[in-house]
Amino acid sequence: MKKILLCSLVLFSLLNAQTLTLHEAIDTTLQNYPDVNALQMKIAQSKLSHRSAYSNYLPQVNLHGQYNLTQTYILPVNGALHTKDDTGWSVGINVKQKLWDFGKTTSKIASSEKDEDISKLSLMDFKALLAYKIKSFYELMVLQREAIHVRKKDLQAKKAYYAQAQALVKAGLKTSADASRFLSAVYNAQDTLAIAQANFDKARNSLSLYMNKKIDANVSLQKSVLQEDFTMPKDIEKEVLDANYKLKIEKKKIEKNILLHKSAKAERYGSIDAIASYNHFDTLNSYDATTAGVVVNIPLYTGGRVSAEAQKVAISTQISKEQKRSQKLLLQEEVENTLLDMKRYNKTIHAKKAQLSSAQQTKKVLDGRYKEGLSTYIEVLDATSEVLNAKLGLLQTYYLRTLSIDKIQYLQGKI
């Protein structure tokens, strides 16, 4: 009856365990992470900046009014000038329309569009980076969960060895040294199991903070994420250079600085504006005044300000080009080194599988020989350690290879 009740409780807990997929972890984080929201607000700011720059193309209309409690007026009377103090007021409207400024405004508007593009690319790059971090936390949880299972089995095996050694000591077939050594191995296995559990909890806590959602300790995870097939394209380096968001951002910065340089150079030529105004004056006499015409503004001397600004932007353009070159070199280095790591991990996985198979066979033989008194406890523990190290080493290599795949996908801008 107790066994049935225990099995029922275990089954109930498994059915009610929280299930968390990698896709769900990434999606939840992208929806809740504060920096994502901040970057989305920056996109809105960039759109408003573009609207502000474009407004220079549109007519500028101003309404003004003035009322004077007292004002001195000069009046000619019989060839002499006389003054008179009286109230007065005026109201009017002015309209100014830019006709041509040699491309200054056009270039500024285009540069503001580049700012908006940069904000969008920055958001996409941050999302890809955030997804990369979430993948690493999730995969670390899977790794530590599997390590916990392996270490639990190792602990059970060492407890069984200890019990067996105690029985053989009582039968006079083994010395107390055997039992003591196995007991020490049990304590060591308990310690390493606790470390694996702590590492799992730390990864779970980090992922929980990023997701802004509590993750159950018994959460069900996708174990397959550590062994997913991934075929590396032959032209992967070209794909990364074409798709990488950071490289696209640097390209947009160059385009923006080129436009700003054009705008700065155009400022030395001034502008041509159409103006019109209507004013009504009510002073000693009431009358209307209208104006309509074209104004030409040509800066003759600005103290070197216009020239200095143009040179500053020209230097900024060169800096952006060098930064793009530097970013390209970093990407090439990262891709090539990551590909070399992946090749090494594939070879290591093959070697670890062979090592695990060999260690398991050796352990099986030594277990039988130990029962017959033909091998020592040292040989048994060494064989057990070989199996344990092979299992954990295989898991670790799978994890490192998966991180390399995640890195390639991040460099490609994939979420």
Side-chain angles (χ1 to χ4, degrees):
M1 184 65 183
K2 290 182 178 180
K3 290 183 178 180
I4 295 174
L5 181 60
L6 180 60
C7 291
S8 299
L9 290 173
V10 171
L11 180 62
F12 179 77
S13 63
L14 290 174
L15 291 174
N16 288 275
Q18 179 188 13
T19 299
L20 179 64
T21 64
L22 179 57
H23 176 77
E24 180 186 352
I26 294 173
D27 190 53
T28 303
T29 303
L30 293 179
Q31 290 178 8
N32 298 324
Y33 203 73
D35 284 351
V36 173
N37 297 328
L39 287 170
Q40 288 173 338
M41 293 177 189
K42 286 187 177 181
I43 293 176
Q45 279 185 329
S46 299
K47 289 181 178 179
L48 292 173
S49 296
H50 177 252
R51 283 178 55 187
S52 176
Y54 187 79
S55 67
N56 290 324
Y57 263 149
L58 304 177
Q60 309 297 307
V61 182
N62 296 296
L63 179 66
H64 63 87
Q66 182 176 343
Y67 177 76
N68 299 323
L69 292 174
T70 180
Q71 183 175 347
T72 301
Y73 299 95
I74 301 175
L75 303 171
V77 178
N78 298 325
L81 296 177
H82 294 267
T83 61
K84 181 179 180 180
D85 292 333
D86 198 357
T87 61
W89 61 272
S90 64
V91 64
I93 185 169
N94 298 325
V95 180
K96 182 179 180 181
Q97 172 65 59
K98 189 178 295 294
L99 297 179
W100 181 243
D101 60 1
F102 303 92
K104 174 185 173 182
T105 301
T106 303
S107 297
K108 280 190 174 181
I109 292 172
S111 70
S112 67
E113 291 177 345
K114 300 302 178 183
D115 275 331
E116 186 176 343
D117 293 338
I118 290 171
S119 297
K120 291 178 180 178
L121 290 170
S122 297
L123 174 61
M124 294 305 298
D125 180 61
F126 182 76
K127 283 185 175 181
L129 177 61
L130 196 57
Y132 175 52
K133 288 184 177 180
I134 298 305
K135 288 177 184 178
S136 66
F137 288 136
Y138 188 93
E139 289 154 1
L140 182 58
M141 285 177 64
V142 174
L143 171 67
Q144 296 302 333
R145 172 66 63 78
E146 293 300 305
I148 288 171
H149 292 330
V150 171
R151 292 195 178 279
K152 280 183 177 179
K153 289 181 180 180
D154 179 62
L155 177 59
Q156 291 172 356
K158 287 175 178 175
K159 284 182 176 180
Y161 283 136
Y162 175 60
Q164 184 185 67
Q166 283 183 312
L168 292 174
V169 169
K170 289 180 180 179
L173 300 175
K174 295 290 181 180
T175 65
S176 59
D178 289 70
S180 298
R181 185 62 185 85
F182 280 121
L183 180 60
S184 176
V186 169
Y187 290 144
N188 184 64
Q190 288 175 337
D191 181 53
T192 53
L193 175 59
I195 293 173
Q197 183 64 57
N199 289 335
F200 173 81
D201 289 336
K202 286 192 289 185
R204 178 171 62 90
N205 181 65
S206 296
L207 183 58
S208 176
L209 290 173
Y210 271 78
M211 291 177 62
N212 193 27
K213 178 181 178 182
K214 185 177 180 181
I215 301 175
D216 189 73
N218 298 318
V219 63
S220 179
L221 303 171
Q222 290 176 273
K223 295 190 292 184
S224 59
V225 296
L226 294 185
Q227 299 183 28
E228 288 186 359
D229 293 330
F230 180 77
T231 303
M232 187 67 65
K234 292 182 179 179
D235 56 347
I236 184 62
E237 185 173 311
K238 183 178 182 302
E239 287 188 14
V240 169
L241 295 178
D242 290 340
N244 185 261
Y245 288 122
K246 289 188 181 299
L247 211 55
K248 288 181 179 180
I249 289 172
E250 294 300 332
K251 182 180 178 181
K252 291 294 180 183
K253 286 181 178 179
I254 293 172
E255 294 172 356
K256 173 188 171 182
N257 284 323
I258 289 173
L259 290 167
L260 289 176
H261 186 228
K262 289 181 179 179
S263 177
K265 288 195 300 182
E267 190 172 350
R268 71 184 64 177
Y269 303 116
S271 64
I272 303 173
D273 304 312
I275 60 168
S277 66
Y278 169 79
N279 296 279
H280 176 77
F281 295 92
D282 194 334
T283 53
L284 292 178
N285 297 304
S286 180
Y287 63 95
D288 297 332
T290 58
T291 303
V294 175
V295 175
V296 178
N297 293 303
I298 301 175
L300 297 179
Y301 179 70
T302 60
R305 177 185 60 82
V306 174
S307 176
E309 289 296 324
Q311 290 178 26
K312 280 172 58 179
V313 180
I315 294 173
S316 295
T317 303
Q318 294 302 317
I319 291 173
S320 297
K321 289 180 179 179
E322 294 302 321
Q323 287 176 338
K324 183 186 175 185
R325 286 182 57 204
S326 175
Q327 185 64 41
K328 184 177 179 180
L329 290 173
L330 287 175
L331 284 173
Q332 289 175 321
E333 181 185 11
E334 283 191 279
V335 172
E336 291 172 6
N337 289 342
T338 304
L339 292 177
L340 291 173
D341 286 338
M342 290 180 66
K343 289 180 181 179
R344 175 171 65 87
Y345 294 143
N346 287 331
K347 292 181 180 179
T348 303
I349 287 172
H350 181 74
K352 290 292 183 182
K353 286 181 177 179
Q355 180 187 358
L356 177 59
S357 177
S358 176
Q360 287 174 331
Q361 292 178 3
T362 301
K363 179 178 177 298
K364 185 177 180 181
V365 172
L366 288 174
D367 283 346
R369 289 172 60 86
Y370 182 76
K371 291 179 182 178
E372 300 297 328
L374 300 176
S375 62
T376 65
Y377 65 87
I378 295 177
E379 291 174 315
V380 172
L381 286 175
D382 285 344
T384 304
S385 296
E386 281 292 322
V387 173
L388 176 65
N389 291 334
K391 286 181 178 179
L392 294 177
L394 182 60
L395 284 172
Q396 181 71 15
T397 308
Y398 272 125
Y399 170 67
L400 293 175
R401 188 186 70 167
T402 304
L403 288 183
S404 296
I405 295 172
D406 294 340
K407 188 172 186 179
I408 290 292
Q409 291 176 340
Y410 160 62
L411 295 177
Q412 289 178 292
K414 293 182 178 180
I415 296 177

